[in-house]
């Protein structure tokens, strides 16, 4: 094969692309902490390099057939060989491009948002670390390397969520995110070990090449898939471990945008897609994943229906969209899940960045206050917000519509079309809460209940006024993302053929049924939006949601289905009263007992030995003579 | 030698046992020292007897050494006893329990 420039430049592009943010992180931490301008320049420059490199790679390898490996030996232990390097295939290239693009836009946006923050340099250093970890994760050729960067992603999100560390709630939220994801990561690591023991290596391509017949029993495959899925549950905030994500809103808004679109939570879904052929070995595990995805999607949507905090609404929607992706993947729709991940990255980043403009200006997260203060004055951000919310709800020309239809199609073709029912309910709920936010912010003052009086008590604008220059910097990325959201959907066909290795899967299902489902989803989304309009948008609307009229339901939803309470209860019962008590006893009896025993033994031994000396002098003399006499006697006999 | 060697050994043995009894049984530091002294002399008698019996002068050399050791021992021992008496006002060995 002739050496085209693409082949020669692939490895350098990979190395510089993924390495540049790390270099910028190191430089910022070591040299330029006191010079914010230099720090942000370094960081943005590095991520631009990454973006350019990933675009170059994407263009070069568009339509590639076989994955490319660039590995060096890193760890050899008897017959286990763990290489370290890069894996280039359509999925990792797509992810690389998405991550670097979102990182670049978010970092540019942060120039305005984080201006004059005392931790400006630190912020950019962590952003670089985050970008580096996520991009290296995307190109990891084996599970161990992936796991390392997986943890680094967790670390940097912890650092960024708790970025304003003077705020107690922020440090708590950072800790919660770290600990809860760690709970899943333990399972993930156990799964990795199980794979290592049974498959003999951790190479992703080889693991994906495993077939059921090759001495890899069904139960082991299912068990390791479920264990690895534990890590995905933690990272992507799925059902049992979902409460860390809403709390992660304590970080700066651009961090939330990054965290929710391309990096932290996307890592979980990315891992699912990465190991998709391996996961699909065990249908039982896939059904479990499907159920977990569905459950998370519905739970999070209901939570989003009642939240008044704009960032939290988007956080819940992230959980629910991630659940949607996992549903799509678990139903067998590899492309559908990845495509939704891509489009979601664009519109979710847009949602957060738009909200960030309002939050930055008005200093509040409450949607009713934001509406009353007149957020619509910011024309561009508000239009972008509407676009993104439309994409979230699945309004036709926008990106979200196409990817949602793809997921629906996957569900339709999957094991049981019954899963479509919760998905359709989810579509309805999503449209409802997305447009609820739009209508509350967009049509304020139509009812007497707007809390203007209250907001005048807290004139937070003085703290957070936006300067014109900052505003322009922040709006730029919004416009770019809005255009991506508008047009990304039309790239579906080419992306699909790229991801599926040029095959371009034929539309197997009947067009009529699919069209029906699409129409149903659209009408449900319309109904959701309409209901939101009826309750919040129209003239004389009560501005009280359906759920808020049923106090029990409202409490249930706003307390997040009491999940945190259940965790607290379990922690009290299991950890504080069960395990800790055992540990306490172990500490008291075994450890303290051993040390006390050692001390007491020495003292007792000393006392025993002292008996030889402390008796009267004549007894000792007697003993000495007795010994001599015995020795003498032994000479004779 | 007119006295048979066996008799000498018996005398030495009797003296040694008397000294041992004195050193072990009497409750007085002076008597303990005295008993040790008697035992040393019993050993010296046995050495002298042996020296005559085998016509070897080394036995008598050792007796001289024993006499020197005994003299030293008595002087040091008496000095210690005097010191102890000043401290405790008694010759009772039971009172030496500072190591307890």
């Amino acid at each position: 094969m002739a050496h085209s420039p693409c082949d020669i430049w692939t490895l350098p592009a990979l190395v510089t692309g993924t390495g540049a943010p790390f270099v910028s992180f190191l430089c910022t931490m070591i040299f330029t902490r006191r010079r914010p301008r230099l720090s942000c320049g370094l960081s943005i420059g590095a991520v631009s390099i990454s973006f350019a490199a990933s675009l170059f790679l994407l263009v070069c390898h568009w339509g590639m057939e076989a994955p490319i490996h660039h590995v060096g030996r890193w760890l050899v232990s008897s017959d286990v060989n763990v290489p370290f390097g890069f894996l280039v295939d359509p999925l990792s290239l797509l992810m690389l491009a998405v991550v670097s693009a979102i990182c670049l836009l978010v970092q540019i946006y942060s120039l305005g948002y984080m201006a004059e923050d005392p931790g400006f340099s630190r912020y950019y250093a962590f952003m670089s670390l985050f970008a580096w970890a996520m991009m290296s994760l995307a190109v990891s050729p084996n599970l161990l390397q992936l796991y390392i960067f997986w943890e680094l992603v967790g670390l940097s999100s912890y650092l960024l969520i708790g970025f304003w560390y003077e705020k107690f709630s922020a440090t708590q939220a950072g800790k919660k995110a770290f600990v809860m994801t760690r709970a899943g990561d333990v399972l993930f690591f156990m799964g990795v070990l199980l794979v290592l023991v049974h498959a003999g290596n951790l190479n992703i391509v080889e693991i994906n090449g495993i077939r059921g017949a090759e001495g890899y029993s069904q139960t082991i495959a299912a068990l390791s898939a479920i264990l690895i899925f534990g890590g995905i549950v933690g990272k992507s905030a799925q059902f049992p471990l979902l409460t860390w994500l809403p709390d992660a809103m304590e970080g700066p808004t651009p961090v939330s945008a990054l965290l929710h679109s391309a990096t932290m939570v996307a890592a979980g879904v990315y891992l699912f897609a990465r190991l998709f052929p391996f996961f699909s070995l065990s249908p039982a595990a896939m059904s479990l994943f499907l159920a977990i995805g569905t459950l998370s999607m519905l739970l999070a949507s209901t939570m989003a229906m009642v939240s008044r905090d704009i960032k939290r609404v988007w956080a819940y929607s992230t959980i629910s969209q991630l659940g949607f992706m996992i549903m799509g993947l678990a139903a067998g729709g590899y492309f559908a899940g990845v495509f939704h991940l891509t489009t979601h990255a664009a519109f979710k980043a847009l949602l957060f960045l738009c909200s960030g403009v309002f939050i930055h200006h008005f200093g509040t997260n409450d949607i009713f206050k934001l509406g009353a203060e007149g957020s619509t004055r910011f024309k561009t951000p508000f239009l972008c917000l509407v676009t993104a919310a439309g994409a979230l709800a699945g309004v036709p020309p926008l990106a979200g519509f196409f990817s949602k239809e793809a997921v629906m199609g996957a569900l339709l073709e999957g094991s049981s079309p019954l899963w479509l029912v919760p998905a359709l309910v989810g579509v309805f709920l999503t449209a409802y809460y997305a447009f609820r936010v739009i209508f509350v912010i967009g049509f304020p003052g139509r009812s007497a209940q707007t809390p203007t009086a209250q907001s005048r008590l807290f004139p937070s604008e003085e703290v957070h006024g936006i300067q014109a220059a900052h505003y322009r910097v922040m709006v730029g990325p919004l416009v770019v993302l809005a255009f991506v959201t508008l047009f990304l959907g039309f790239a579906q066909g080419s992306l699909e053929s790229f991801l599926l290795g040029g095959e371009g899967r034929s539309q197997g299902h009947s067009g009529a049924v699919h069209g029906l489902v699409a129409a149903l989803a659209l009408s449900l989304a319309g109904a959701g939006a309409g209901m939101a309009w009826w309750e919040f948008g129209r003239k004389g609307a009560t501005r009280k949601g359906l759920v808020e009229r049923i106090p029990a339901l409202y409490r249930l939803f706003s307390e997040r289905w009491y999940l945190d309470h259940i965790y607290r209860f379990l922690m009290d019962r299991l950890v504080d009263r069960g395990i800790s008590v055992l540990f306490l006893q172990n500490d008291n009896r075994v450890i303290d007992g051993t040390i006390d025993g050692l001390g007491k033994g020495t003292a007792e031994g000393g006392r025993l030995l002292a008996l030889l000396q402390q008796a009267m002098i004549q007894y000792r003399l007697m003993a000495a003579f007795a010994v001599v006499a015995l020795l003498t006697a032994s000479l004779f006999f | 030698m007119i006295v048979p060697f066996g008799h000498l050994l018996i005398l030495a043995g009797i003296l040694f046992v008397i000294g041992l009894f004195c050193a072990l049984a009497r409750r007085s530091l002076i008597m303990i020292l005295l008993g040790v002294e008697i035992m040393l002399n019993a050993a010296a008698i046995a050495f002298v007897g042996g020296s005559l019996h085998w016509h070897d002068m080394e036995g008598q050399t050792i007796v001289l050494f024993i006499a020197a050791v005994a003299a030293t021992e008595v002087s040091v021992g008496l000095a210690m006893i005097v010191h102890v008496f000043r401290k405790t006002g008694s010759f009772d060995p039971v009172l030496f329990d500072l190591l307890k």
Side-chain angles (χ1 to χ4, degrees), chain A residues 508-594:
Chain A
H509 48 81
S510 64
V513 177
H514 196 236
L516 187 67
V517 169
L520 203 57
L522 253 182
S523 53
L524 276 171
M531 191 169 136
W533 181 79
W534 178 260
E535 283 172 351
F536 296 99
R538 76 191 162 94
K539 226 172 223 154
T542 50
R543 297 177 74 81
K544 241 183 143 182
L546 176 68
V547 180
E548 279 152 325
R549 292 198 206 111
I550 311 167
L553 211 57
Y554 175 70
R555 249 197 326 276
L556 182 66
F557 289 171
S558 58
E559 291 284 335
R560 306 185 203 160
W561 292 77
Y562 294 97
L563 278 176
D564 271 338
H565 296 266
I566 295 169
Y567 292 151
R568 193 71 254 166
F569 180 74
L570 283 180
M571 283 285 274
D572 284 349
R573 273 290 145 87
L574 265 177
V575 178
D576 291 354
R577 289 191 209 155
I579 301 170
S580 319
V581 170
L582 287 181
F583 281 166
L584 185 67
Q585 287 188 347
N586 174 49
D587 198 48
N588 281 343
R589 303 222 173 128
V590 179
I591 297 176
D592 286 6
T594 312

Side-chain angles (χ1 to χ4, degrees), chain A residues 49-67:
Chain A
I49 293 173
S50 306
F51 182 57
S54 66
L55 273 190
F56 166 76
L57 288 169
L58 197 62
V59 170
C60 262
H61 297 282
W62 189 264
M64 67 192 298
E65 273 134 29

Side-chain angles (χ1 to χ4, degrees), chain A residues 404-634:
Chain A
K404 270 197 182 173
E405 290 311 316
V407 173
M408 295 282 181
L411 286 171
L412 191 64
E413 286 172 28
S415 52
S416 158
L418 266 184
W419 293 105
L420 263 178
V421 177
L424 287 171
V425 174
V427 166
F428 172 71
L429 295 178
T430 309
Y432 172 74
Y433 68 68
F435 279 99
R436 168 176 172 264
V437 171
I438 296 296
F439 288 136
V440 166
I441 293 183
F443 301 109
R446 287 203 180 173
S447 78
Q449 291 177 6
T450 39
T452 35
Q454 203 183 352
S455 61
R456 246 181 246 123
L457 286 175
F458 304 101
S460 40
E461 289 112 297
E462 288 166 21
V463 191
H464 277 279
I466 289 189
Q467 296 170 12
H470 292 164
Y471 178 67
R472 273 200 298 280
V473 166
M474 283 157 79
V475 165
L478 296 186
V479 176
V480 174
L481 276 173
F483 274 102
V484 171
T485 309
L486 274 174
F487 297 115
L488 188 61
F490 299 106
Q492 182 178 10
S494 47
L495 268 179
E496 185 165 10
S497 60
F498 172 55
L499 270 177
L500 298 175
E503 290 165 23
R505 202 175 38 148
S506 58
Q507 305 284 321
H509 48 81
S510 64
V513 177
H514 196 236
L516 187 67
V517 169
L520 203 57
L522 253 182
S523 53
L524 276 171
M531 191 169 136
W533 181 79
W534 178 260
E535 283 172 351
F536 296 99
R538 76 191 162 94
K539 226 172 223 154
T542 50
R543 297 177 74 81
K544 241 183 143 182
L546 176 68
V547 180
E548 279 152 325
R549 292 198 206 111
I550 311 167
L553 211 57
Y554 175 70
R555 249 197 326 276
L556 182 66
F557 289 171
S558 58
E559 291 284 335
R560 306 185 203 160
W561 292 77
Y562 294 97
L563 278 176
D564 271 338
H565 296 266
I566 295 169
Y567 292 151
R568 193 71 254 166
F569 180 74
L570 283 180
M571 283 285 274
D572 284 349
R573 273 290 145 87
L574 265 177
V575 178
D576 291 354
R577 289 191 209 155
I579 301 170
S580 319
V581 170
L582 287 181
F583 281 166
L584 185 67
Q585 287 188 347
N586 174 49
D587 198 48
N588 281 343
R589 303 222 173 128
V590 179
I591 297 176
D592 286 6
T594 312
I595 292 176
D596 284 358
L598 269 177
K600 277 188 190 136
T602 314
E604 284 298 322
R607 210 159 287 144
L608 272 176
L609 284 173
L611 277 180
L612 291 176
Q613 302 173 23
Q614 72 186 2
M616 212 176 71
I617 186 168
Q618 280 166 313
Y619 292 141
R620 278 178 276 146
L621 205 54
M622 209 183 286
F625 274 115
V627 169
V628 172
L630 282 175
L631 280 175
T632 323
S634 75

Side-chain angles (χ1 to χ4, degrees), chain A residues 218-361:
Chain A
Q218 192 72 28
T219 27
I220 296 294
L223 187 62
S224 41
I226 288 172
L227 283 173
I228 293 177
F229 190 72
I232 299 174
V233 164
K235 207 58 135 195
S236 289
Q238 291 304 295
F239 164 56
L241 300 174
L242 55 79
T243 57
W244 69 266
L245 195 57
D247 288 358
M249 294 299 106
E250 291 294 339
T253 311
V255 171
S256 310
L258 191 57
L259 200 86
H260 282 255
S261 56
T263 51
M264 179 79 174
V265 294
V269 177
Y270 177 73
L271 177 63
F272 197 140
R274 187 86 276 194
L275 293 177
F276 181 74
F278 175 66
F279 279 2
S280 36
L281 276 184
S282 42
M286 287 295 254
S287 317
L288 178 70
F289 306 157
L290 191 53
I292 287 180
T294 312
L295 191 58
S296 324
M297 184 200 67
L298 289 180
L299 280 183
S301 310
T302 55
M303 293 172 191
M305 284 165 72
V306 294
S307 180
R308 290 172 65 111
D309 181 326
I310 185 165
K311 280 174 82 179
R312 277 182 193 245
V313 173
W314 302 142
Y316 294 130
S317 86
T318 304
I319 299 174
S320 115
Q321 295 306 308
L322 289 167
F324 212 66
M325 291 170 210
I326 286 181
M327 282 170 79
L329 284 167
Y334 173 68
F335 169 72
V338 178
F339 187 48
H340 197 47
L341 180 65
T342 314
T343 56
H344 175 259
F347 69 72
K348 187 51 61 71
L350 184 56
L351 279 175
F352 271 108
L353 295 182
C354 294
S355 316
V357 175
F358 305 140
I359 293 169
H360 192 58
H361 187 78

Side-chain angles (χ1 to χ4, degrees), chain B residues 43-55:
Chain B
I45 287 172
F47 269 113
V48 173
S51 154
L52 286 175
H53 184 67
W54 283 295
H55 303 290

Side-chain angles (χ1 to χ4, degrees), chain B residues 21-43:
Chain B
F21 181 76
C22 177
L24 293 185
R26 302 295 299 268
R27 284 286 147 97
S28 160
L29 287 173
I30 294 181
M31 295 318 280
I32 291 172
L33 206 59
L34 221 104
V36 173
E37 211 55 35
I38 292 170
M39 285 191 289
L40 280 172
N41 284 316

